[in-house]
Amino acid sequence: MKVPHRLYLTEDQMPTQWYNLRADMKEQPDPMINPATMKPAAVEDLYPVFCTELAKQEMDATTRYIDIPAGILEMYKIYRPSPLIRAYNLEKALGTPAKIYYKFEGNNTSGSHKLNSAIAQAYYAKQQGLTSLTTETGAGQWGTALSEACAYYDIPLTVFMVKCSYNQKPHRRTVMNTFGATVIASPSDTTNAGRAILAEDPANSGSLGCAISEAVEKAVSTEGCRYVLGSVLNQVLLHQSVIGLEAKKAMELLDEYPDVVIGCAGGGSNLGGLIAPFMQDKLTGKAAPRVVAVEPASCPSLTRGKYAYDFCDTGKITPLAKMYTLGCGFKPSPDHAGGLRYHGMSPILSKLYHDGYMEAVSVRQTDVFKAATMFAKYETILPAPESAHAILGAINEALECKKTGEAKTILFGLTGTGYFDMVAYGSYIDGTMSTYVPTDADLQKGFAGLPTIPGIQ
């Protein structure tokens, strides 16, 4: 069979259910901890923060498949199914016997996979009758996606955007404003959490943990408002499983199956979504693909973090999660890893990594942009910096195949486009881009703040 450059499923072939990876895990991630009681959180503990239905999805570890509501499927059809692409030109340039496929999630205005969960979360908020939502955003992809979804469902939205990204990407702000969202640089003086952080460090360039604190505070202090999150959470990985389900279906139509599945890793949303059905095969013994997470060396939660309970935010007001973490007080460098600069990793992915079901590597910023520019030249898509981490991982795997002569099948996730990242590309091209890698002493500062939980940690 001659594999086409791009394969689109039909609308009738789109998944009508999300896949809940936890239903097939041999051991479950440890439960979230309520910070008020330091006891395992109950679903009711999440109701003041999350939409009721999303809180239930967050705690559901047994329902294998969850129906996607018709209202969500209708909006999905605006931009889905997304294509599975064979990277013929990249393969030729690398001189590799490997076959490289990528699932491209950038065919929507947000330019990323984030819309898959944004639509779901806004839909459930509308169904519940909520009058507003809050969130955080790092690189701006999640904030843009949620702005789109909230505009569609007519829900007011406030976005706390990490300050360094707010300054680096003014056009991202403009897109969010176009869809009607209010965007605030975080840390800000609009919340108690933001004011406390600024009092300690007036020049703080922000972090996802900080922005989460501000967004959660506004949600719980505003009537009819809830907080929504674009990564890390179990519910987000559930919604993002549509990526992997589509990818697996498309590969089946081509009589293909990946030997290696590669995704960039920050909080875990795209990686968890892409690998979900392939990890199911691995957990159930049907197949044994290698699964590789690629993270920035500047924020190496999997490769250098500790597997421990930690707060999901800098202000320490969210539930605690057992995850690979650099400590909620870790201050990431203001580099162009963007949405991959979160201090922790999805509890689901952390557990799978801890139990040996997946691998992780960290890569330097300049190497990432070298891979990004090569990919752009040969595949004609300008990738987001986050996506380029997965591209580099795929290139390294393909070059290893060139050495060994193995014709492996590689699948990676191209999470989105980099058209709002021109400052980053410019700094790489003009040679001013640097690569920061935290020292052990730098990381120890974050580890020192890990919480003490009687009888647990």
Side-chain angles (χ1 to χ4, degrees):
M1 178 189 295
K2 170 62 176 175
V3 173
H5 282 77
R6 291 188 174 214
L7 176 61
Y8 286 89
L9 300 179
T10 66
E11 287 186 2
D12 292 340
Q13 292 172 316
M14 282 177 57
T16 58
Q17 295 178 310
W18 293 305
Y19 166 58
N20 184 2
L21 185 54
R22 283 169 293 167
D24 287 307
M25 291 177 66
K26 307 300 182 186
E27 294 183 11
Q28 289 296 309
D30 290 347
M32 287 189 291
I33 298 291
N34 185 326
T37 64
M38 286 298 176
K39 302 292 184 182
V43 66
E44 295 82 6
D45 296 337
L46 304 182
Y47 290 164
V49 179
F50 300 125
C51 305
T52 301
E53 186 59 33
L54 293 171
K56 292 176 180 177
Q57 290 179 2
E58 186 66 25
M59 303 296 267
D60 187 344
T62 58
T63 307
R64 183 170 283 105
Y65 292 99
I66 295 176
D67 290 338
I68 304 174
I72 295 175
L73 282 173
E74 282 307 303
M75 192 175 180
Y76 273 0
K77 290 176 183 177
I78 295 173
Y79 67 100
R80 303 202 71 85
S82 67
L84 179 73
I85 304 176
R86 175 75 180 268
Y88 280 114
N89 293 331
L90 181 62
E91 292 171 13
K92 183 178 179 180
L94 295 172
T96 179
K99 292 177 286 186
I100 305 174
Y101 291 88
Y102 58 95
K103 182 69 165 159
F104 179 44
E105 290 291 310
N107 283 336
N108 62 78
T109 301
S110 74
S112 82
H113 68 293
K114 295 290 188 178
L115 197 54
N116 301 327
S117 187
I119 292 170
Q121 297 192 51
Y123 170 86
Y124 288 121
K126 188 70 172 181
Q127 292 295 107
Q128 191 172 329
L130 299 176
T131 53
S132 65
L133 293 174
T134 68
T135 196
E136 82 299 323
T137 194
Q141 293 176 338
W142 169 245
T144 306
L146 190 61
S147 298
E148 284 186 65
C150 284
Y152 184 86
Y153 293 113
D154 193 26
I155 303 173
L157 172 67
T158 301
V159 179
F160 290 89
M161 187 173 185
V162 175
K163 187 172 290 182
C164 64
S165 291
Y166 181 95
N167 294 328
Q168 288 171 350
K169 303 179 184 182
H171 300 307
R172 273 283 183 196
R173 289 187 268 131
T174 302
V175 176
M176 288 182 250
N177 293 151
T178 300
F179 282 105
T182 299
V183 186
I184 299 171
S186 174
S188 74
D189 61 2
T190 67
T191 65
N192 291 328
R195 287 188 287 270
I197 291 167
L198 288 172
E200 182 179 331
D201 180 11
N204 193 303
S205 62
S207 68
L208 283 166
C210 169
I212 290 171
S213 295
E214 296 206 85
V216 171
E217 180 182 323
K218 181 172 177 60
V220 299
S221 61
T222 305
E223 187 176 354
C225 184
R226 292 294 187 277
Y227 166 71
V228 292
L229 180 64
S231 192
V232 182
L233 296 175
N234 300 334
Q235 59 188 269
V236 178
L237 269 67
L238 173 73
H239 305 149
Q240 294 294 356
S241 67
V242 68
I243 303 172
L245 292 167
E246 282 188 8
K248 190 178 183 189
K249 177 66 174 179
M251 296 196 84
E252 287 173 352
L253 293 175
L254 298 173
D255 195 27
E256 288 276 33
Y257 192 91
D259 297 296
V260 189
V261 184
I262 301 170
C264 61
S269 64
N270 89 91
L271 176 65
L274 177 67
I275 72 172
F278 303 105
M279 183 60 74
Q280 180 185 34
D281 289 347
K282 193 165 186 173
L283 291 168
T284 58
K286 293 180 180 178
R290 287 177 52 225
V291 176
V292 183
V294 187
E295 63 182 5
S298 60
C299 196
S301 57
L302 285 173
T303 54
R304 297 177 66 192
K306 291 186 181 296
Y307 189 44
Y309 269 106
D310 195 13
F311 289 95
C312 296
D313 69 310
T314 304
K316 301 181 179 181
I317 58 178
T318 59
L320 291 84
K322 182 73 172 290
M323 58 185 175
Y324 276 90
T325 179
L326 300 173
C328 66
F330 176 74
K331 295 179 182 179
S333 65
D335 61 15
H336 299 287
L340 304 185
R341 299 185 319 119
Y342 183 59
H343 67 271
M345 181 58 62
S346 152
I348 291 176
L349 297 182
S350 291
K351 178 63 174 172
L352 290 170
Y353 177 65
H354 186 72
D355 290 349
Y357 288 101
M358 53 184 272
E359 308 165 25
V361 295
S362 65
V363 292
R364 294 170 179 259
Q365 182 170 230
T366 47
D367 294 332
V368 167
F369 275 86
K370 181 179 179 181
T373 54
M374 180 183 188
F375 181 86
K377 289 174 182 176
Y378 290 107
E379 292 297 318
T380 75
I381 297 172
L382 186 74
E386 296 87 351
S387 306
H389 288 69
I391 292 170
L392 177 56
I395 287 174
N396 288 341
E397 287 287 340
L399 290 175
E400 185 63 27
C401 287
K402 184 177 180 178
K403 291 180 183 177
T404 63
E406 296 174 279
K408 290 183 179 179
T409 299
I410 299 168
L411 171 66
F412 75 88
L414 184 60
T415 61
T417 55
Y419 301 117
F420 293 102
D421 299 282
M422 302 321 298
V423 171
Y425 275 95
S427 67
Y428 173 74
I429 291 166
D430 66 23
T432 59
M433 176 175 282
S434 61
T435 289
Y436 168 75
V437 179
T439 64
D440 289 344
D442 292 334
L443 296 182
Q444 188 56 42
K445 295 175 184 177
F447 297 148
L450 290 174
T452 298
I453 306 173
I456 298 177
Q457 174 174 299

